[in-house]
Each structure stands twice: as C-alpha cells, then as structure tokens.
Amino acid sequence: MQVTTYWLEHAWLDTNVEPGVALEVTDGRIAAVRTGVDTPPPGAEVLRGLTIPGLANAHSHAFHRALRGTVQVGSGTFWTWREVMYQVASRLTPESYHALARAVYAEMALAGITAVGEFHYLHHAPGGRPYADPNAMGEALVQAAADAGIRITLLDTAYLSSGFGAAPDRHQLRFSDGTAQAWAERVSSLKEREGVRIGAAIHSVRAVPADQLATVADWARERGVPLHVHLSEQTAENDACLAAHGRTPTQLLADHGVLGPRTTGVHNTHLTETDIGLLGSSTTGTCMCPTTERDLADGIGPAVALQRAGSPLSLGSDSHAVIDLLEEARAMELNERLRSRTRGHWTAAALLRAATADGHAALGWDGAGSLEAGALADFTTIALDSVRTAGPVPRLAAETAVFAASAADVRHTIVAGRPVVRDGVHQSVPDAAGALAEAIAAVRG
C-alpha cells in the first residue's frame, strides 16, 4: 500500500490555522493528520502557503463561460441576457461541449475547485432530436471533468416547459424530454463511476409543470441522490407562479414533496418569511451564487435568515462571470454588509465551510471537504506571499484567504491524493487559457 506524505506549511483544520501539518494519503484518502511537524518529513511533498479542503462549486453551467465579456455590452435584464445564452447553446455539439467544459473545469481546478455540480439541461440535438446516445451531452461533461482532474456531480435537469405549462420555445427544444417520465427513463441509464455522482435537478417551477414535479423528486429520493432547483431567482417567476397556482414557488415545491435535506434551492433570492421557514424547517439547502446574482442584477438573497432558519449554505459560480469560490464566499458577506450596513455576519471559518464541506454535502460527496483522517484527499493551497496576501500573520491566514486572496493565488490543487495543479500549472491542461480561447471561438457566433 503506497503512502504519500504532504507537508503543509499552514493548514486550516476546520476552526483554526495550524502550522506544520503532515497529511498521509493512501488510496485517494487521508489516512492520518499529524500536527506540530515543524519541518517536512523525508520524501514529503511540500505545500507552502495555506492548505484548505478542496473547494466545491455547487452550481455550474459550463457553457455559460463562453458568454464572459460578450454580455457586458449595453444594458438589460436577466431575460435579455438569456437570449444571448440561448444563441451559444444552439451551437454546441457533444464534441465542442466536451472541449469547452474540459477547459472550464481546468480553470476551476486552477481556482482550487476539486468538485463541481453541473446543472445540466442541454440534452438533445437542435430541434430536440435525441442523439444516438441520448446522454451524449451529459457524458461529454463527465469525460471533461475526468480529463480536467476534478470530481463532478452531474445534476441532470428536467426542463419541459417555457413557462407554467406552455410548450418549449424553439431554443428550449434541446432541453426537453417531453415529460418527466421520459426524463427519468433517460437519466436512469447514466451510471456513477470513480469521481462521478449522478443527481437530479428541476430547472425551475416555470420549466416543470406542477403535476410532474413529484416524478423528478421521487426519482432522486428513491436513489438517495442530490436534487437541485433554481428557486425564486427572479420576481417575474414569483409573479407568474402566483398567477398560475396562487402560491409562491417555494410553497409549490413543498406541496409536491420537493423540499428536504437532499434538496438544494439555487439562488433563493426573492423569498417571503413563510418561504424561508419552509426551506429551513425542511433543511433544504441554499446555494448562493453572488457573482452571478450581481452580474445579472438579480438581487441579494436572504442568506443570513435562511441559515438561521436551518438551511445549509453552499456556493456556486453559476454563469462563470468569474470562477473564484473565494470571491463567492467574500461576496456573500459583503453583500450582506451593504444591505444591513453592519459587518461580520459570518466568520472566515463559516464562509470556508460553505465553500468546502457544505458544498460537497450538497453535491453528494459526504466524505469530502475536511482535512481529517478518512476524508477524500482533496485539498488546495493558497499562497500567503502574493501581493494580495502578504503581510498578515499566519494565524489570520483563513481571514486573509477569504477577504483578500483570489483564484490567482491558488498554487496547488490535489484530488484523490494526486496533483492536478502544481505551482499554478494544470498538469493535464497546461495551456488552460489557450484551451478556453480555442473552445470558445468554436462556438462563437
């Protein structure tokens, strides 16, 4: 049995920063954690800086990365942004999607992300015709994550309607299986494997008719897998749901058995106090995506109230306006400061837990997100000597990482005990920037 030892100059061990920590790794898991190791043991891999558990990106739409920059011209709303997004979606094939996602996931690894939740709804060929392999697009994403060296939870998404029972429009035909039962039959042929979890998603209450919500929820519940749903991201969705059903989206989900401890609502931006109570009492999670929510002018979700009510918080980069989970963590706190005009709603440790352990739990990776014996050997190291992070004393390294560092400060990313990023260079996609440029050019109009 081969043992690899990593010596961590500083390590975040859930509540505090410890200097001189040795991690022993066997078979992709942490076998032992030893503190007070002042110098690297013979043969140890040396990681200088602050090592934290790998970051979990709980909400991703990989193809949205092709929109970065191009959607920052002019003005508009989420709905005008969506039209541009549809144009990119219309051009993707399994081959071009693999190339794009591989480069996006490599960017994530360079940012310290070791697991991604891919909210996947681009299932079929243009016009809605199934590929010879009905899961060709999902398999392209799974292979892309493997090629980029990170774990993936493929959240295969039911998307059946353009809005509360209306037929899909021409852009959405690629997304739809027709019925939730047909969705379930297709998804059931996807198989989990090393580094891969299969979960489910309801795109939104506007995209899955109310009488079919339970089909998706039951499929996920029977298999014990994560279930995610875009929830109350836009006030227009709330208004339309009230008009169609006489209740909020959260209440509609509750009435059809969607809420629960394996369910995560993404965004949860525009909620009533009753909605917050329903999510908290059912321990339904909340995935906040602050950089996308501000980019699309969505609003600031009630994260503090949700957590107090009992909803665990995770973080996602969603549309990939930026890919930086440290920025997502920081933005959640800073957004709340702007709204409340008070500081200190979460400690740095609490924000790191949202970005690590709680994010992994939301994606079904319960054995990840901590530096302790038995956990998956997934971790990342942040430089403490860059122009952003130099100066603070090491015991404040967690605060420095959350409130000053960026993805550019990630030096090493380890997944299953193997280096994916070493000294800031991706080991299997060494020219990640070039790969991104080439893949995006291939789908640009």
Side-chain angles (χ1 to χ4, degrees):
M1 182 171 58
Q2 184 176 1
V3 178
T4 302
T5 300
Y6 287 91
W7 181 80
L8 319 179
E9 184 181 28
H10 302 282
W12 180 65
L13 300 182
D14 190 40
T15 58
N16 60 291
V17 174
E18 288 280 348
V21 175
L23 295 185
E24 295 178 3
V25 175
T26 59
D27 296 327
R29 290 187 177 269
I30 298 172
V33 180
R34 293 186 286 122
T35 59
V37 183
D38 295 335
T39 58
E45 296 269 357
V46 175
L47 304 182
R48 296 200 178 276
L50 173 68
T51 298
I52 63 174
L55 300 168
N57 189 351
H59 189 67
S60 162
H61 301 293
F63 75 92
H64 291 189
R65 174 63 178 81
L67 301 174
R68 188 182 295 178
T70 65
V71 291
Q72 302 300 345
V73 178
S75 61
T77 66
F78 166 86
W79 307 101
T80 53
W81 170 91
R82 189 175 72 159
E83 291 302 313
V84 181
M85 179 270 288
Y86 282 158
Q87 294 302 317
V88 172
S90 71
R91 302 183 190 103
L92 285 163
T93 66
E95 293 75 22
S96 63
Y97 205 6
H98 169 266
L100 177 58
R102 172 178 173 268
V104 174
Y105 296 154
E107 182 181 0
M108 290 186 192
L110 288 162
I113 293 164
T114 57
V116 61
E118 185 61 38
F119 199 101
H120 166 56
Y121 56 83
L122 185 54
H123 302 305
H124 306 299
R129 176 179 53 83
Y131 289 102
D133 174 0
N135 288 304
M137 295 294 266
E139 291 291 353
L141 291 164
V142 167
Q143 187 60 52
D147 292 345
I150 68 173
R151 303 181 193 274
I152 187 171
T153 298
L154 187 71
L155 298 161
D156 197 288
T157 304
Y159 194 135
L160 310 173
S161 168
S162 64
F164 297 98
D169 67 23
R170 63 186 180 87
H171 301 296
Q172 298 160 346
L173 291 172
R174 297 195 71 176
F175 309 161
S176 178
D177 291 294
T179 67
Q181 185 57 45
W183 167 87
E185 290 171 2
R186 177 182 57 75
V187 177
S188 293
S189 65
L190 286 164
K191 303 301 181 186
E192 294 191 345
R193 63 211 82 162
E194 184 179 358
V196 179
R197 296 277 186 271
I198 304 299
I202 293 165
H203 180 273
S204 56
V205 295
R206 69 177 186 273
V208 177
D211 62 359
Q212 299 185 62
L213 292 170
T215 300
V216 183
D218 289 346
W219 186 93
R221 185 178 301 108
E222 289 165 4
R223 290 159 178 77
V225 301
L227 172 63
H228 288 213
V229 54
H230 289 136
L231 181 56
S232 289
E233 181 180 3
Q234 296 289 326
T235 55
E237 176 186 293
N238 289 357
D239 294 342
C241 189
L242 286 165
H245 298 291
R247 66 202 74 183
T248 66
T250 301
Q251 184 67 63
L252 186 68
L253 295 176
D255 292 347
H256 290 275
V258 175
L259 304 185
R262 288 192 176 272
T263 300
T264 297
V266 181
H267 303 302
N268 294 359
T269 308
H270 302 284
L271 303 177
T272 67
E273 289 187 10
T274 299
D275 292 339
I276 293 170
L278 286 168
L279 294 167
S281 63
S282 61
T283 61
T284 298
T286 294
C287 179
M288 302 297 291
C289 305
T291 65
T292 291
E293 289 150 7
R294 72 191 184 198
D295 182 63
L296 298 181
D298 287 343
I300 300 171
V304 171
L306 282 161
Q307 188 171 54
R308 286 175 179 166
S311 178
L313 300 179
S314 56
L315 296 164
S317 63
D318 192 359
S319 69
H320 313 314
V322 297
I323 293 178
D324 188 338
L325 262 288
L326 298 173
E327 173 63 19
E328 303 294 346
R330 173 164 59 244
M332 188 163 69
E333 165 66 24
L334 298 184
N335 282 354
E336 195 63 31
R337 291 183 187 185
L338 285 173
R339 179 167 62 177
S340 66
R341 292 184 289 175
T342 59
R343 305 175 77 237
H345 302 278
W346 291 277
T347 63
L351 293 168
L352 282 176
R353 280 193 294 275
T356 57
D358 291 344
H360 282 97
L363 297 178
W365 295 100
D366 296 329
S370 63
L371 299 180
E372 60 183 23
L376 293 173
D378 299 355
F379 41 93
T380 188
T381 303
I382 300 164
L384 297 178
D385 57 358
S386 76
V387 292
R388 288 165 293 277
T389 60
V393 295
R395 66 180 176 81
L396 296 178
E399 287 77 7
T400 303
V402 171
F403 290 103
S406 76
D409 296 309
V410 170
R411 292 293 175 264
H412 311 286
T413 300
I414 312 297
V415 179
R418 299 185 296 270
V420 174
V421 173
R422 189 192 295 272
D423 295 319
V425 178
H426 198 288
Q427 298 300 284
S428 60
V429 191
D431 183 13
L436 282 163
E438 182 178 352
I440 292 169
V443 298
R444 185 182 295 132

